[in-house]
Amino acid sequence: MAKLIAVDDSLADLKLIEQSLSQYHQVVLYQGSENVEQRIEAEKPDVVLLDVVMPGRNGYEVLRSLRRSEATKHIPVLVISSKGEPTDIEWGKRQGANGYLTKPYTPEALRKAVQELL
């Protein structure tokens, strides 16, 4: 059972992630991007699920910060975003994302995307 951290400003999206994955993995939810890098460093997850569009710091800023840190740069990150244009996906991967899933998605698509990163 892998440990996953999901970061999103939407409680509904976090609950969907939890419902889709909690019978297969340990899922830790964080609403918003405030101090999330320190939480990720402390929790040492196997995969981070990261929303892009959030108030304050967006997911790309968090992702770049994770990639700069020795403690977190190796952790696979799945970006989950409503921004689904090919340029958005390419930009996410350039920022350091290991995978990219576009909202809305099915629970099966989420499980498959996570499994590919484990």
Side-chain angles (χ1 to χ4, degrees):
M1 183 178 275
K3 184 179 198 176
L4 312 176
I5 288 184
V7 182
D8 200 312
D9 60 312
S10 164
L11 190 55
D13 286 340
L14 288 171
K15 289 298 180 187
L16 177 60
I17 290 169
E18 184 176 48
Q19 290 169 354
S20 300
L21 298 172
S22 62
Q23 78 180 78
Y24 307 99
H25 306 290
Q26 178 187 354
V27 182
V28 179
L29 305 176
Y30 288 118
Q31 191 172 7
S33 59
E34 190 71 29
N35 299 317
V36 76
E37 294 92 341
Q38 292 85 356
R39 295 172 179 171
I40 291 169
E41 187 173 335
E43 293 273 354
K44 298 178 178 42
D46 297 297
V47 176
V48 173
L49 312 177
L50 184 61
D51 183 29
V52 172
V53 181
M54 294 186 281
R57 295 171 52 240
N58 69 42
Y60 293 139
E61 291 172 275
V62 172
L63 179 55
R64 287 191 295 268
S65 177
L66 291 173
R67 291 299 176 238
R68 284 192 300 266
S69 168
E70 282 298 318
T72 58
K73 69 180 184 182
H74 67 284
I75 299 171
V77 175
L78 175 65
V79 167
I80 301 176
S81 179
S82 57
K83 298 169 76 64
E85 294 298 317
T87 53
D88 296 319
I89 296 168
E90 179 61 30
W91 180 249
K93 292 190 174 179
R94 285 186 183 183
Q95 302 309 300
N98 302 90
Y100 200 103
L101 185 63
T102 304
K103 296 177 186 177
Y105 54 83
T106 63
E108 295 77 27
L110 177 60
R111 287 192 288 268
K112 182 176 184 281
V114 167
Q115 199 56 46
E116 288 173 0
L117 296 182
L118 289 173

